[in-house]
Amino acid sequence: MADEQAVRAEEDTVAVTIENRIAWVRFNRPEKRNCMSPKLNRQMLKVIEELEFRDDVGVLVLSGEGDAWSAGMDLKEYFRETEAQGLWAIRKSQREAYRWWNRLRWYEKPTIAMVNGWCFGGGYGPLYACDIAVASDDAQFGLSEINWGILPGGGASKVAADLMPLRKAIYHAMMGENLTGPQAAAQGLVTESVPHAQLKARVTEIAEALLKKDGHALRATKWAVRRMIDMTYENAEDYLIRAQEALHSYGGVAARKEATRQFLDEKSFKPGLGTFDTSKVKD
Ligand code: ACO
């Protein structure tokens, strides 16, 4: 039988739909449970870079076609076939994967992982890269590397160590047992988990809330939180002063003045209870 993977063109390994300023980007190899091949990794970088600077995109959602989010790296195309070609081919493939995960970690726009099903190993790279992660209750998360005799590389061990309590991370990596959506949420791997039927509605609700906020402040905020992870308190304090000042150079002053006016003068919103009306900001 013809291998579907062999016939799927590189540009068909990722699907995109844009609706109301939300870009729904999907791993698109459902017949291979959306595992990441070199072709998919190259296409994903192209797609997300193209979306990043478009005015009609305010939030990016990453999900998977079919019943998987991503079954991790492609054991055939990413590992076996690449390894057969030697070290440079391995390094090239690694770079193609890491490059788009890195782009996504420092994306200009808010990103949400909508984890609709299987999420294994290398899938933890893009999972971590997304700012917010919402899982379906019946999604399955696994560091399955140990089950086939490797360690969780490609950043996956680091993701577990960064996001999960240490005891949970070590157990997760050593045992190769899967976590459900609610377990992944309880252990910090995802932000929250919801019944599958509510997954898209909940992600849409979060995306729409983000779209109402000031985009410059959102970008500065998510980058600041990520930068804080390995900074001393003193360095963080200083970084945040500089980041706030930089934000002022890119629309921040106007947004802040308008928000302050709406709160203090117009009394039309309370920052503790919701977001200001960004449509009134004058550039
Ligand atoms: N690499 C290569 N092919 C894969 C992968 C993968 N990671 N995952 C699934 N596939 C392929 C299968 O070989 C199969 O191909 P075929 O139709 O040509 O036989 C097809 O996708 C469908 O997979 P099934 O196993 O039949 O699907 P099922 O729904 O029964 O099981 C599951 C899904 C549990 C995700 C299973 O496919 C699996 O265990 N995949 C591997 C998960 C994994 O360990 N990923 C690697 C982590 S390590 C790393 O990323 C560094």
Side-chain angles (χ1 to χ4, degrees), residues 24 33 48 53 63 82-83 107 133 143 147 156 226 270 278:
W24 299 88
R33 304 300 177 262
I48 66 175
F53 300 109
S63 73
T82 306
E83 282 161 13
Y107 210 60
L143 285 181
N147 293 342
R226 283 190 189 274
K270 293 179 195 290
T278 51

Side-chain angles (χ1 to χ4, degrees), residues 37-38 41-42 45 73 78 82 87-103 105 154:
S37 61
N41 290 329
R42 287 193 289 271
L45 180 67
M73 307 320 293
Y78 181 84
T82 306
L87 183 63
W88 294 134
I90 295 170
R91 288 287 180 268
K92 180 170 178 287
S93 287
Q94 287 168 334
R95 195 171 297 179
E96 285 165 351
Y98 302 168
R99 202 175 266 158
W100 77 264
W101 304 345
N102 177 277
R103 190 61 249 127
R105 278 201 303 283

Side-chain angles (χ1 to χ4, degrees), residues 27 47 70 83 116 126 135-136 138 147 158 179 188 190 219 223 248 255 259 266 269 273:
F27 296 102
V47 166
S70 172
E83 282 161 13
N116 52 304
S136 158
D138 46 24
N147 293 342
K158 171 73 174 151
L179 300 172
V190 295
R219 177 178 55 245
W223 287 353
H248 286 169
E266 202 175 85
F269 95 112
L273 301 178

Side-chain angles (χ1 to χ4, degrees), residues 2-10 12-13 31 39 77:
D3 189 341
E4 271 218 56
Q5 182 171 300
V7 296
R8 190 176 281 275
E10 186 160 316
D12 294 335
T13 56
E31 69 283 355
K39 282 200 285 190
E77 295 190 33

Side-chain angles (χ1 to χ4, degrees), residues 44-118:
M44 194 61 94
L45 180 67
K46 261 189 227 158
V47 166
I48 66 175
E49 283 193 327
E50 202 269 320
L51 294 170
E52 193 165 17
F53 300 109
R54 282 173 63 147
D55 289 337
D56 61 342
V57 173
V59 173
L60 183 148
V61 177
L62 182 61
S63 73
E65 279 292 339
D67 59 7
W69 193 69
S70 172
M73 307 320 293
D74 187 321
L75 268 65
K76 177 170 174 280
E77 295 190 33
Y78 181 84
F79 286 117
R80 193 165 65 187
E81 291 177 1
T82 306
E83 282 161 13
Q85 296 168 48
L87 183 63
W88 294 134
I90 295 170
R91 288 287 180 268
K92 180 170 178 287
S93 287
Q94 287 168 334
R95 195 171 297 179
E96 285 165 351
Y98 302 168
R99 202 175 266 158
W100 77 264
W101 304 345
N102 177 277
R103 190 61 249 127
L104 210 52
R105 278 201 303 283
W106 301 106
Y107 210 60
E108 299 280 340
K109 298 182 175 162
T111 54
I112 306 172
M114 181 172 89
V115 187
N116 52 304
W118 305 111

Side-chain angles (χ1 to χ4, degrees), residues 51 106 132 140 152 166 185-186 201-202 232 245 262 280:
L51 294 170
W106 301 106
I132 292 170
Q140 296 268 328
L166 187 62
R202 176 61 185 140
T232 61
E245 287 169 358
Q262 288 177 25
K280 293 185 178 162

